[in-house]
Amino acid sequence: MPWSVQWVGGRGAQCQKQCKKSSFAFYQAVRDLLPVWFLEDMRTMEVFHWEDGGEVSAYSPSEALLYALVHDHQPYARHLLAKFPQSALAAPSRSFSCCQSPAPHLAMAVRYNRVRILFRMLRALQALPPADRAGSLDRRGCSRVEGGKTALHLACELVRPECLLLLLGHGASPCPPDGAGDTPLDALLQQIARAPAANMRAKLLCLDCLFFFVPRDLRFAMKQQLLDDRRRWQELLGERRFQCLVGLAPPLLFVGAMRVLIGTIAPEHFPEALDNLPLPHFLKPLDLKLES
């Protein structure tokens, strides 16, 4: 008789109840920012959760990293990514997501604005083969929950300039559409158009960061809307940004220079290499000082 078949009836219900208690204890331990060694002891030896198939399972590094993201447990996230660089970014079990999105961690880091943990995850991805790395960076999220958005879409939608620049600098593409056919640029423009015009400085900062990475011939869904309501968009974006977006003028010399300079920075040296760019500090896009 297989081991899993033995856990039925009253014993199965009792085991499932105990698993829920143990799972919550682990969740609380991560939430309370307990030491890494204690959390790893719990994860690998004591804490189990109940899988849909009726089996108990220890938490994987991937699932532990999701908890670390939610509660911003930076030392635990650093440990998981250093010791389990691939499995920590692998797909969690079905009990953690409504669909098997292979890599929800980047999107979750953006959603909770965990800039430092996002930075470490992007560094861990650099160890993957180029095709796998690009697939992870540009993978669409759950169609039911995230609307097929990439992490970059979320960074634009939630107006996270630090997350946006980190993703772009580590190779995320600004071109792929989401499930609705919108590019990250469309997602950002939709936020800029929202009334009242809150947080406009951060939104325009995100737009300026996108300018450093988007190709000049990028097709985006809202281009015709900008042309049809030209006066409003000129007021929202400023004349120069508007002209550049709709293709009526070339990018500013500063934007072109930044594209060339940023293009010389390898992802594994981003963003700290920004400090070495031959530009005065106030002309640099963001002051990202993260521990490598």
Side-chain angles (χ1 to χ4, degrees):
M1 179 182 298
W3 179 85
S4 59
V5 178
Q6 299 175 18
W7 296 90
V8 295
R11 292 182 64 192
Q14 184 179 3
C15 180
Q16 187 169 3
K17 184 176 180 180
Q18 183 61 39
C19 284
K20 289 181 178 179
K21 291 177 62 178
S22 298
S23 295
F24 186 62
F26 182 59
Y27 178 89
Q28 283 185 310
V30 180
R31 181 197 64 189
D32 295 341
L33 306 181
L34 295 185
V36 170
W37 67 266
F38 184 82
L39 295 175
E40 280 296 87
D41 278 351
M42 290 186 71
R43 182 182 71 82
T44 57
M45 298 177 61
E46 300 173 16
V47 177
F48 300 91
H49 63 282
W50 193 266
E51 294 289 350
D52 293 338
E55 297 182 358
V56 291
S57 174
Y59 279 101
S60 69
S62 169
E63 294 155 358
L65 180 58
L66 291 175
Y67 279 170
L69 276 165
V70 170
H71 298 298
D72 199 21
H73 196 320
Q74 295 182 34
Y76 194 30
R78 183 166 59 247
H79 167 82
L80 292 166
L81 290 165
K83 191 169 184 179
F84 314 102
Q86 292 188 334
S87 58
L89 294 172
S93 67
R94 291 187 179 275
S95 62
F96 271 77
S97 58
C98 61
C99 62
Q100 283 300 94
S101 178
H105 303 82
L106 294 179
M108 183 170 285
V110 173
R111 185 166 294 282
Y112 284 88
N113 203 25
R114 307 306 192 202
V115 177
R116 292 183 180 277
I117 299 179
L118 175 64
F119 170 63
R120 294 190 178 281
M121 289 193 295
L122 292 169
R123 280 296 171 86
L125 284 175
Q126 297 306 308
L128 300 179
D132 294 342
R133 182 167 65 247
S136 296
L137 285 167
D138 301 328
R139 199 183 308 277
R140 291 181 179 181
C142 172
S143 59
R144 284 173 285 182
V145 177
E146 302 289 0
K149 295 178 173 63
T150 67
L152 198 61
H153 280 92
L154 288 176
C156 290
E157 184 179 277
L158 299 174
V159 192
R160 311 280 201 222
E162 293 87 359
C163 294
L164 178 71
L165 187 59
L166 282 175
L167 287 164
L168 290 168
H170 283 85
S173 173
C175 301
D178 63 10
D182 293 330
T183 66
L185 176 58
D186 289 306
L188 180 58
L189 290 172
Q190 290 164 15
Q191 293 302 311
I192 291 174
R194 290 174 67 93
N199 206 19
M200 186 59 72
R201 182 178 179 183
K203 293 173 183 177
L204 293 178
L205 178 57
C206 286
L207 183 59
D208 290 340
C209 289
L210 272 176
F211 273 136
F212 299 148
F213 294 88
V214 295
R216 290 186 60 179
D217 58 349
L218 175 68
R219 296 182 179 180
F220 59 101
M222 291 191 63
K223 182 175 181 179
Q224 191 59 47
Q225 182 177 329
L226 266 65
L227 290 169
D228 292 342
D229 198 359
R230 178 175 302 197
R231 178 173 295 179
R232 177 178 180 237
W233 282 101
Q234 285 174 330
E235 292 177 356
L236 286 171
L237 304 176
E239 180 66 22
R240 290 184 175 181
R241 290 190 187 92
F242 174 82
Q243 294 279 341
C244 182
L245 265 180
V246 298
L248 297 178
L252 294 174
L253 181 61
F254 168 66
V255 173
M258 285 298 296
R259 284 176 175 173
V260 173
L261 290 171
I262 290 177
T264 65
I265 300 175
E268 60 268 21
H269 297 141
F270 195 92
E272 60 268 26
L274 287 173
D275 288 335
N276 298 324
L277 292 181
L279 290 169
H281 179 75
F282 68 89
L283 285 179
K284 296 179 182 180
L286 277 176
D287 185 16
L288 283 175
K289 296 191 180 300
L290 303 171
E291 298 176 1
S292 60

